[in-house]
Amino acid sequence: MAFRAPLTNHHADGTLCPADHRHTSSGKPLHDDCSGHAYTQAVCSCGWKMRQPGKGYVAECRKRHLAGHAQGPKVLRDLLRLDAS
């Protein structure tokens, strides 16, 4: 199964901040109708969630989480390790 965990940006009121709302690196809006980024969120198809104000931190945690799926469940990894020895 391929897991997905898309990154989404949100306004302070919880509404989605569309991709066409451009911002400075600090999250200040460059679009007249945008109140600015309040937080970035990643939600994995397995149920894992991450929500923080820093987009870079969420992106890094998302990458690590998805890499964990690629390794498989810990129990299975441990069994395979025992068989190999």
Side-chain angles (χ1 to χ4, degrees), residues 11 29 48 76 83:
H11 300 128
W48 174 87
L76 181 59
D83 289 343

Side-chain angles (χ1 to χ4, degrees), residues 49-68:
K49 296 178 186 177
M50 176 73 168
R51 175 180 160 173
Q52 292 288 321
K55 183 177 182 177
Y57 182 66
V58 175
E60 180 62 29
C61 290
R62 173 190 168 270
K63 184 197 291 187
R64 288 181 185 181
H65 173 77
L66 291 173

Side-chain angles (χ1 to χ4, degrees), residues 4-8 10 39-52 57-59 61-62 65-66 69:
R4 297 192 48 193
L7 285 175
T8 54
H10 299 265
Y39 63 91
T40 299
Q41 178 174 288
V43 179
C44 184
S45 53
C46 76
W48 174 87
K49 296 178 186 177
M50 176 73 168
R51 175 180 160 173
Q52 292 288 321
Y57 182 66
V58 175
C61 290
R62 173 190 168 270
H65 173 77
L66 291 173
H69 283 304

Side-chain angles (χ1 to χ4, degrees), residues 2 10-12 18 22 26 28 33 40 57 75:
H10 299 265
H11 300 128
R22 297 292 174 205
S26 66
K28 293 181 181 172
D33 297 333
T40 299
Y57 182 66
V75 173

Side-chain angles (χ1 to χ4, degrees), residues 23-43:
H23 300 82
T24 64
S25 59
S26 66
K28 293 181 181 172
L30 297 174
H31 192 275
D32 293 337
D33 297 333
C34 185
S35 59
H37 287 169
Y39 63 91
T40 299
Q41 178 174 288
V43 179

